[in-house]
Amino acid sequence: MDGLKLGLDLCDGYTKLSCWGMDRTWAFPTVVCRKKEEDVWLIGEEAYASALMGDGVIVDKLLKLVRKDGTSTISGVKYRGVEILVQFLHKVLMLPVAEMMKQQEAGAQMQGQDETSCEYAAAAWEFQDGEDFGPGAWVEQLVITIPEVEARLLDCLMYCGDYLQIPREKLHIISHTEGFLYYVLNQKREMWNNQVGMFDLSEEGLFYYEMKVQRGLRNVTVVAEKEKLDEGFSLDILSSPSGMKLADKILCACGERFLQKKLFSSVFLAGKGFENQDWAPEFMKLLCARRRVFVEPALFSQGAALRAADLTRGKTSYPYVLICDGRLDTTVCVNVMHQEKENQLVLAAAGDSWYESKSTVDFILDNQDYLEFSIIPLDSRKPKTMKLVLDGFPQRDDKTVRVQTQVGFLDEKTMAVVVKDMGFGEFFPSTGAVLKQEVMI
């Protein structure tokens, strides 16, 4: 049986979960509630209902709580933010598991199979609430998309995956901007040949996204950027005629600023605010003037689900260099000699996820006390060179200094380098010298 390929859009205000191949999206507020008298956790609207009845204590803004390493006390028990997030994610991920079991059970009954053949489906109902099992056994790939890619939040989400028994190779975290890219690139090519714009309106605010395709001799580079608009407004104002008129006027001003004098293949509208467009007639008239406009309130979770499905294939359906929030926009190389020729060994390439990009390489130094890195931006005509001097490392002749170099990233612009003296066999044991340095790229 194939596992679930899931895309999860996780924000402080809302959560949306899409399952590739299931043609269904779950959407609910990002809130969790633990009942006071029993160890039962509820999410979304059920959590609100329980709190209103006085049966439980509600916790919201889970991502903010995790970022600041906050806590919440429920029935005298203090929970860390990450522990509460685990409970929330567990309940969320069990939703498609239960749906899958329903479909399997219904299919088995239609085929007239006996109870023994339905044993697999029946067993799923026993752990629907996750008391004994986690969702890890059912997940083939899970891609979580979040508004901004931050190291602390990424670490916490990976911890949650460990707790839920989801192997790290099956859990990936991308930005909203990257989710936007995957959704658009999955459409027909004529919809993204030129620039693509998107307005996202939700409880998180008003955002504008733009995607451009750059065709080169060797590959196609797709660049996407995101901007939070100061003109953002609360969705509450859409409850009154005057508020709707004001919101329509604000969006028209934004549309004129971003869309005029540019050629767009398509424009997308995402987020809860655009589930209904009747409140913005002038804005829609502006958008639809000689442009193709599409509405997808769950665009980010759908894009993440497409990425999850792509990760299960032997060959990607997106053979492009993707540049966006969460991915490197430079290539990092180290200058080496190989077979008496000078070469550049790539340690990290533009388009790699900075969080997942890690390299470990051993070098033998030849009469030099430094490593030389080349930092090559997308515009390769402007590379820069960085020398890392190995202070405190041994100096020996005849190529007998061996060092191990580990490279990782703290964010898109900060590279962390660790160099260790590895010695040279029995003749020259390691001195224990270690150099750690952060490099701005």
Side-chain angles (χ1 to χ4, degrees):
M1 183 198 71
D2 292 336
L4 296 167
K5 305 170 186 66
L6 304 174
L8 178 64
D9 180 13
L10 183 62
C11 302
D12 269 328
Y14 68 87
T15 293
K16 295 180 180 179
L17 177 65
S18 297
C19 183
W20 186 85
M22 195 174 285
D23 194 26
R24 177 171 180 182
T25 294
W26 291 264
F28 36 79
T30 307
V31 296
V32 62
C33 172
R34 181 188 182 277
K35 289 198 171 184
K36 294 179 179 179
E37 304 300 329
E38 50 187 323
D39 188 18
V40 174
W41 296 81
L42 304 171
I43 62 173
E45 299 297 343
E46 286 186 341
Y48 277 131
S50 179
L52 286 174
M53 295 177 61
D55 294 337
V57 177
I58 201 166
V59 182
D60 60 2
K61 296 188 180 352
L62 301 185
L63 300 190
K64 183 178 180 180
L65 189 66
V66 166
R67 287 192 195 96
K68 66 179 185 179
D69 197 20
T71 61
S72 181
T73 301
I74 305 174
S75 300
V77 179
K78 181 184 287 187
Y79 295 92
R80 293 177 57 211
V82 68
E83 294 173 324
I84 298 174
L85 182 59
V86 163
Q87 296 294 338
F88 177 80
L89 291 176
H90 183 276
K91 299 292 291 187
V92 170
L93 296 177
M94 291 307 296
L95 294 172
V97 172
E99 181 69 19
M100 180 177 66
M101 293 303 102
K102 283 183 182 179
Q103 293 180 4
Q104 288 190 344
E105 190 173 15
Q109 291 175 352
M110 289 181 63
Q111 295 175 18
Q113 297 176 7
D114 58 25
E115 293 182 0
T116 303
S117 63
C118 298
E119 181 180 353
Y120 185 66
W125 291 107
E126 297 179 8
F127 63 89
Q128 182 174 339
D129 290 332
E131 295 178 357
D132 300 316
F133 297 88
W138 314 92
V139 174
E140 185 172 0
Q141 284 291 335
L142 168 62
V143 176
I144 301 177
T145 178
I146 53 180
E148 305 290 343
V149 177
E150 307 168 35
R152 174 164 183 77
L153 181 55
L154 293 178
D155 289 341
C156 289
L157 288 172
M158 297 305 290
Y159 165 82
C160 291
D162 292 341
Y163 187 89
L164 297 172
Q165 301 176 7
I166 301 175
R168 295 216 166 187
E169 64 271 16
K170 294 185 177 182
L171 174 58
H172 302 268
I173 303 166
I174 64 175
S175 65
H176 272 181
T177 314
E178 189 168 343
F180 164 60
L181 278 179
Y182 280 109
Y183 184 87
V184 174
L185 292 173
N186 189 63
Q187 311 306 313
K188 294 180 180 178
R189 187 175 291 269
E190 58 264 26
M191 290 175 58
W192 50 269
N193 268 337
N194 298 305
Q195 293 182 114
V196 178
M198 182 179 76
F199 291 91
D200 172 38
L201 178 60
S202 68
E203 297 91 339
E204 308 294 317
L206 175 62
F207 298 86
Y208 175 70
Y209 294 75
E210 193 165 285
M211 177 185 126
K212 304 173 185 176
V213 179
Q214 302 173 355
R215 292 174 174 83
L217 294 176
R218 295 184 178 180
N219 49 44
V220 175
T221 300
V222 185
V223 181
E225 297 176 328
K226 166 187 173 181
E227 180 180 344
K228 184 172 185 178
L229 306 184
D230 295 335
E231 299 93 332
F233 50 84
S234 170
L235 298 185
D236 293 339
I237 73 171
L238 302 181
S239 59
S240 68
S242 60
M244 289 189 287
K245 187 174 181 180
L246 175 61
D248 191 15
K249 184 177 180 180
I250 290 173
L251 286 179
C252 282
C254 294
E256 290 174 354
R257 184 166 85 248
F258 288 108
L259 304 181
Q260 294 300 318
K261 300 180 181 179
K262 291 183 180 180
L263 181 62
F264 284 84
S265 296
S266 55
V267 177
F268 291 84
L269 300 177
K272 184 177 180 180
F274 290 120
E275 288 179 349
N276 184 322
Q277 307 91 49
D278 293 343
W279 57 271
E282 296 303 317
F283 177 61
M284 295 304 297
K285 185 187 301 183
L286 171 67
L287 288 186
C288 296
R290 300 185 302 278
R291 300 186 190 93
R292 284 175 289 190
V293 179
F294 303 89
V295 180
E296 178 48 77
L299 183 145
F300 297 124
S301 64
Q302 294 279 0
L306 289 166
R307 171 59 172 158
D310 190 62
L311 287 166
T312 65
R313 303 183 183 116
K315 183 179 179 181
T316 180
S317 300
Y318 310 93
Y320 318 112
V321 177
L322 304 183
I323 305 297
C324 61
D325 178 31
R327 288 181 175 258
L328 299 172
D329 60 4
T330 57
T331 296
V332 179
C333 306
V334 64
N335 299 326
V336 299
M337 292 293 296
H338 180 64
Q339 296 181 348
E340 298 184 355
K341 292 183 180 180
E342 188 170 340
N343 291 283
Q344 289 189 325
L345 176 66
V346 176
L347 300 180
D352 289 349
S353 163
W354 65 259
Y355 186 76
E356 296 181 354
S357 181
K358 297 176 177 64
S359 298
T360 301
V361 185
D362 283 7
F363 298 106
I364 296 178
L365 304 183
D366 185 10
N367 294 318
Q368 69 181 51
D369 62 351
Y370 63 88
L371 294 175
E372 187 173 83
F373 297 89
S374 291
I375 313 298
I376 308 172
L378 280 179
D379 182 0
S380 58
R381 294 172 296 177
K382 301 178 181 178
K384 64 179 181 180
T385 301
M386 189 276 295
K387 282 189 177 182
L388 185 61
V389 179
L390 303 178
D391 291 329
F393 278 64
Q395 296 184 6
R396 295 191 292 264
D397 297 329
D398 301 326
K399 303 178 182 178
T400 55
V401 177
R402 183 166 63 97
V403 298
Q404 183 183 84
T405 303
Q406 297 175 326
V407 172
F409 294 86
L410 304 180
D411 55 42
E412 296 163 19
K413 296 297 182 182
T414 310
M415 180 173 69
V417 182
V418 179
V419 185
K420 300 177 182 179
D421 173 29
M422 303 301 291
F424 201 86
E426 297 179 358
F427 299 99
F428 300 102
S430 171
T431 62
V434 177
L435 176 65
K436 298 179 180 181
Q437 187 164 325
E438 295 180 7
V439 180
M440 300 302 296
I441 62 173

